[in-house]
Amino acid sequence: MYQTIILGSILLITLYVLKRSRDPNLKLPPLVHYKIPIIGHTLSYMFNCEEFFKQCRKEYGDIFSLYLWGQVTTFVGKDHSYEVFARDDAFDFSEEFRRRVPGDAMFKNINGFGDPKYNAKVVREYISNKLGLYTERMQKSLYSATKKYIGDCDDDRTIYNFSYLMAKIISTPIANIFIGEEEAKYDEIITTFAEFTTDVAIFFAIPPILDFIFPGLQDYVNRIPIKLGLYNPATKHRDILVKHIKNQVDKRLREKQEYGDSWKRPNDLLQDFMEEQDFDPNNINYAAMADKLCIFIFASVHTTSRSCANAVMDLASRPEYMQELYEEQLEIHKKANENDILPFEALNEMKKLDSFIRESFRLTGDIAALPHLVLKDYTFSNGLQVQKDHVVDIYFNDVYQDESSQGPNPNLFEPFRHLNKNSSASKVSKNFIVFGGGKHACPGRFFAVNEIKFFMHNAILKYNFRTESGKIENKLRLGPITFPSTSGIIFERRFK
């Protein structure tokens, strides 16, 4: 028994030393000093991330490395973060994402999360280029969902964990535009859109403890129950989507043949998929179509609903800005038609609301995000180097807490900080990286911002809302990432 313990200890130490080996021929970023072998910086990273990163930045500079979950990760701050976004030949977010989420095991019908270039093309051509076409449907869906999930609030209503309802509200127009108006009326479709990302994100929630033994072991173990058919968080959602996709596809093919030239083409993502060159009406793979749709649900619903829930809580925490935003929305709403639908161009007039939303994005509170895989040895402009297959993460807070790029008091929420600066909520720059940067910046950001603005416009006109505590509510934190506060928000009907 003692021999087994000794041999096991030697093996762990050997693996630890091997994992720490670094290419001596490269000028690598400084590795922050740590005291606990194997564990490294993991505890500070998970439980004291903000202050820990500030100290690392102060002592080691703009680029530094941490020993986390059994391997070294490099963090890049404000001075060099845009190199990561601009040099797509050296850094790839999609590749690192695929290593963290077992999409190839969950979505075998389409080989994982699909081709990143194709996915970006779909968002640009089928969604972003048709924003004007979808404006009315987006508003109608948002208004009906708001009424359904928040209500009229004739009597004050306190809502806890607002982000859960926000996911349902945001999912309603997205389902309408993705799978069609008829299928978006079903509660199970809205539930699938709202809960899919959360269910799949269990793989992010599981701490990679096994990586302390050997890098990648946790990912290998995560795949076992999926490959054995014991558990796949995507299965129940795929089954629901297959049922509704089949219903629509069969109906459309039948009606197109029946009505010929008089057939009215549906405008939605599903129809766009049906008109692609590789779609065979005589051999339809409904599961593959469902898996393809899952990719875009994953990319759209959670990020948008999280951001919108944060914006609502940020305004509820600061009711002193409500009247100014209300007056702007009231003036803009004069351009609405008899059904309270605004023209697409009205979005550009929501100047104060747009600035508020951008500030909410800026202070989301994520310390570090958007990890990229290094595709080849790379030398930063300051001479520091990272080696191929290494992971580089972006130190968000270093960008957003920089006074020279953000303006005075960058740590304070100033909702009209971005007015008259040609800095819309969807515009990426070196000092605004919530959507990434470079040519791979999120192509769906225009759709997301429009949806948030339409929701906020309606909510501000319809309700007064404030935090139950009467105080500014802080976000929940898990390591470097934040989540919307679950504290109560009081909604009351606004009487005109």
Side-chain angles (χ1 to χ4, degrees), residues 133 137 181-182 248 251-253 255-268 271 275:
L133 177 67
R137 285 164 59 184
E181 297 183 71
E182 293 179 1
Q248 273 302 303
K251 179 175 181 286
R252 295 178 186 190
L253 291 175
E255 290 182 348
K256 184 177 182 181
Q257 185 174 16
E258 181 179 350
Y259 296 112
D261 293 339
S262 63
W263 177 67
K264 186 177 179 181
R265 179 193 184 276
N267 285 310
D268 51 50
Q271 186 62 35
E275 294 173 359

Side-chain angles (χ1 to χ4, degrees), residues 216-254:
L217 181 58
Q218 185 70 57
D219 177 60
Y220 177 81
V221 172
N222 287 345
R223 294 168 184 270
I224 292 175
I226 301 176
K227 291 184 176 181
L228 293 179
L230 300 175
Y231 174 71
N232 185 341
T235 299
K236 65 178 181 179
H237 300 300
R238 180 194 297 118
D239 292 344
I240 290 171
L241 288 172
V242 165
K243 180 176 72 173
H244 290 272
I245 288 173
K246 187 176 188 304
N247 181 47
Q248 273 302 303
V249 170
D250 293 352
K251 179 175 181 286
R252 295 178 186 190
L253 291 175
R254 185 174 61 252

Side-chain angles (χ1 to χ4, degrees), residues 284-296:
I284 302 172
N285 188 336
Y286 297 104
M289 294 186 76
D291 281 353
K292 186 189 292 188
L293 203 60
C294 282
I295 296 172
F296 299 99

